[in-house]
Amino acid sequence: MAKILVVTKDLAEFLMYRPVVELLQKANHRVTVVAEGLSFQKWSDVEVPYLVGVGAGDISPEVFQPDLVLTGLGAPINLGEKFGLDANKLGVKLGFVEDIWGVHRCSKAVPDFVCTLDPFGKALIASHKPYNGRTIHVYVTGSPALDRLSKVKPPNPSDLPMMQVLEKHEKVVLLAGQDESTTPMVEGLVAALDQAWENYILIPR
């Protein structure tokens, strides 16, 4: 049985590491979760046996004496990077699990292994200059956060109210915005669509 420390901050990191933690626990490893930010409440809701809630206080993996540290890679990174760097100093094995291409670059710590999405993610890790000359094992695993979708059965498209709306329009445009810059973009996009088509529907995310 190994002692494994998992460090998370945001919701994405919770979604990424929850199935990993479950698998490790089923394999009889002792997993301690060090959670800050929004991830703490999520871990509390699923009743993880060993949960430490912290702010940005002075805490180190040395306190837990783990065999392995797994950290989140959110931006801006906080305890994820601190615990990663401390693991490097202490000689404790460090691992990353990526949910987006290239997020290994968020941490200055050097992992022993990285689980990534696909061959493109693996190529990005191989080209990361701080890793040059280091032995870093890279595993293409996909995203653990998406495993829960494997049992989802798609509905019959004809039963979806959305399909009935879409069938009435010549063009369908999905706008996948992200932050405040999306708002002015909508105005320009609508003006362009009005010039191109009379019968379209715009779906902003």
Side-chain angles (χ1 to χ4, degrees), residues 23-160:
L23 287 171
L24 292 171
Q25 289 174 328
K26 286 179 181 177
N28 295 319
H29 298 298
R30 174 166 174 158
V31 183
T32 299
V33 176
V34 176
E36 60 176 332
L38 296 174
S39 73
F40 176 73
Q41 186 58 54
K42 288 295 186 181
W43 286 114
S44 301
D45 291 343
V46 299
E47 299 180 353
V48 177
Y50 306 101
L51 174 63
V52 180
V54 295
D58 186 17
I59 187 170
S60 164
E62 191 171 12
V63 175
F64 304 95
Q65 299 183 331
D67 301 301
L68 169 66
V69 174
L70 297 170
T71 72
L73 298 166
I77 195 168
N78 186 25
L79 284 184
E81 181 171 68
K82 180 187 184 315
F83 270 67
L85 292 171
D86 286 350
N88 286 167
K89 290 177 184 176
L90 295 168
V92 176
K93 184 176 289 187
L94 175 64
F96 295 158
V97 180
E98 293 191 317
D99 61 342
I100 300 174
W101 290 315
V103 290
H104 57 277
R105 298 174 182 171
C106 290
S107 177
K108 295 184 180 69
V110 178
D112 294 278
F113 68 88
V114 181
C115 298
T116 191
L117 301 172
D118 54 25
F120 179 70
K122 185 174 183 178
L124 288 178
I125 295 165
S127 66
H128 189 41
K129 289 184 180 180
Y131 294 175
N132 288 353
R134 311 286 188 105
T135 301
I136 297 171
H137 301 282
V138 182
Y139 305 99
V140 175
T141 60
S143 170
L146 299 181
D147 287 351
R148 67 190 191 282
L149 300 179
S150 62
K151 297 178 182 178
V152 174
K153 295 181 179 179
N156 185 337
S158 61
D159 295 335
L160 296 175

Side-chain angles (χ1 to χ4, degrees), residues 152-168:
V152 174
K153 295 181 179 179
N156 185 337
S158 61
D159 295 335
L160 296 175
M162 176 62 73
M163 293 304 297
Q164 298 169 18
V165 174
L166 300 183
E167 288 172 357
K168 297 177 182 178

Side-chain angles (χ1 to χ4, degrees), residues 148-193:
R148 67 190 191 282
L149 300 179
S150 62
K151 297 178 182 178
V152 174
K153 295 181 179 179
N156 185 337
S158 61
D159 295 335
L160 296 175
M162 176 62 73
M163 293 304 297
Q164 298 169 18
V165 174
L166 300 183
E167 288 172 357
K168 297 177 182 178
H169 296 85
E170 178 186 356
K171 295 291 181 181
V172 179
V173 180
L174 173 64
L175 173 59
Q178 182 168 343
D179 54 24
E180 62 276 2
S181 62
T182 302
T183 304
M185 181 175 68
V186 173
E187 184 178 1
L189 178 58
V190 168
L193 292 172

